[in-house]
Coordinates of all heavy atoms in Angstrom, one line a residue:
S135 N 32.4 -4.7 -21.0 CA 32.6 -3.5 -21.8 C 32.6 -4.0 -23.2 O 33.4 -4.9 -23.6 CB 33.8 -2.8 -21.4 OG 33.8 -2.4 -20.1
V136 N 31.8 -3.4 -24.1 CA 31.6 -4.0 -25.4 C 31.5 -2.9 -26.5 O 30.9 -1.9 -26.3 CB 30.2 -4.8 -25.5 CG1 30.1 -5.5 -26.8 CG2 30.1 -5.8 -24.4
Y137 N 32.2 -3.2 -27.6 CA 32.0 -2.4 -28.8 C 31.2 -3.3 -29.8 O 31.6 -4.5 -30.0 CB 33.3 -2.0 -29.5 CG 34.0 -0.8 -29.0 CD1 35.3 -0.5 -29.4 CD2 33.4 0.1 -28.1 CE1 36.0 0.6 -28.9 CE2 34.1 1.2 -27.6 CZ 35.4 1.5 -28.0 OH 36.0 2.6 -27.6
V138 N 30.2 -2.8 -30.4 CA 29.5 -3.4 -31.5 C 29.7 -2.6 -32.7 O 29.6 -1.4 -32.7 CB 28.0 -3.7 -31.2 CG1 27.8 -4.8 -30.1 CG2 27.2 -2.5 -30.9
Y139 N 30.0 -3.3 -33.8 CA 30.3 -2.6 -35.1 C 29.7 -3.5 -36.2 O 29.6 -4.7 -36.1 CB 31.8 -2.5 -35.3 CG 32.2 -2.0 -36.7 CD1 31.9 -0.7 -37.1 CD2 32.7 -2.9 -37.6 CE1 32.2 -0.3 -38.3 CE2 33.0 -2.5 -38.9 CZ 32.8 -1.2 -39.2 OH 33.1 -0.8 -40.5
S140 N 29.2 -2.8 -37.3 CA 28.7 -3.6 -38.4 C 29.0 -2.8 -39.7 O 28.9 -1.6 -39.7 CB 27.2 -3.8 -38.2 OG 26.7 -4.7 -39.2
D141 N 29.2 -3.5 -40.8 CA 29.3 -2.9 -42.1 C 28.9 -4.0 -43.1 O 28.3 -5.0 -42.7 CB 30.8 -2.4 -42.4 CG 31.8 -3.5 -42.4 OD1 31.5 -4.7 -42.5 OD2 33.0 -3.2 -42.3
D142 N 29.1 -3.7 -44.4 CA 28.6 -4.7 -45.4 C 29.3 -6.0 -45.3 O 28.7 -7.0 -45.8 CB 28.9 -4.1 -46.8 CG 28.0 -2.9 -47.1 OD1 27.0 -2.7 -46.4 OD2 28.4 -2.1 -48.0
S143 N 30.4 -6.1 -44.7 CA 31.1 -7.4 -44.6 C 30.6 -8.3 -43.4 O 30.9 -9.5 -43.3 CB 32.6 -7.3 -44.4 OG 33.0 -6.8 -43.1
G144 N 29.8 -7.6 -42.5 CA 29.3 -8.4 -41.3 C 29.3 -7.6 -40.0 O 29.5 -6.4 -40.1
S145 N 29.0 -8.3 -38.9 CA 28.9 -7.6 -37.6 C 30.0 -8.1 -36.7 O 30.4 -9.3 -36.8 CB 27.5 -7.7 -37.1 OG 27.2 -9.1 -36.9
T146 N 30.3 -7.3 -35.7 CA 31.4 -7.6 -34.8 C 31.0 -7.2 -33.4 O 30.5 -6.1 -33.2 CB 32.7 -6.9 -35.2 OG1 33.1 -7.4 -36.5 CG2 33.9 -7.2 -34.2
Q147 N 31.3 -8.0 -32.4 CA 31.2 -7.7 -31.0 C 32.6 -7.9 -30.4 O 33.1 -9.0 -30.4 CB 30.2 -8.6 -30.3 CG 28.8 -8.6 -30.8 CD 28.0 -9.8 -30.2 OE1 28.1 -10.0 -29.0 NE2 27.3 -10.5 -31.1
L148 N 33.2 -6.8 -29.9 CA 34.5 -6.9 -29.3 C 34.2 -6.6 -27.8 O 33.7 -5.5 -27.5 CB 35.5 -5.9 -29.9 CG 36.9 -5.9 -29.3 CD1 37.6 -7.2 -29.4 CD2 37.7 -4.8 -29.9
M149 N 34.6 -7.5 -26.9 CA 34.2 -7.3 -25.5 C 35.3 -7.7 -24.5 O 36.1 -8.5 -24.9 CB 32.9 -8.1 -25.2 CG 33.0 -9.6 -25.2 SD 31.4 -10.4 -24.9 CE 30.5 -9.9 -26.3
T150 N 35.2 -7.1 -23.4 CA 36.0 -7.5 -22.2 C 35.1 -7.8 -21.0 O 34.0 -7.3 -21.0 CB 37.0 -6.4 -21.8 OG1 36.4 -5.3 -21.4 CG2 38.0 -6.1 -23.0

Side-chain angles (χ1 to χ4, degrees):
S135 299
V136 183
Y137 277 170
V138 292
Y139 171 73
S140 190
D141 63 16
D142 291 340
S143 75
S145 58
T146 300
Q147 302 168 45
L148 179 61
M149 66 183 66
T150 63

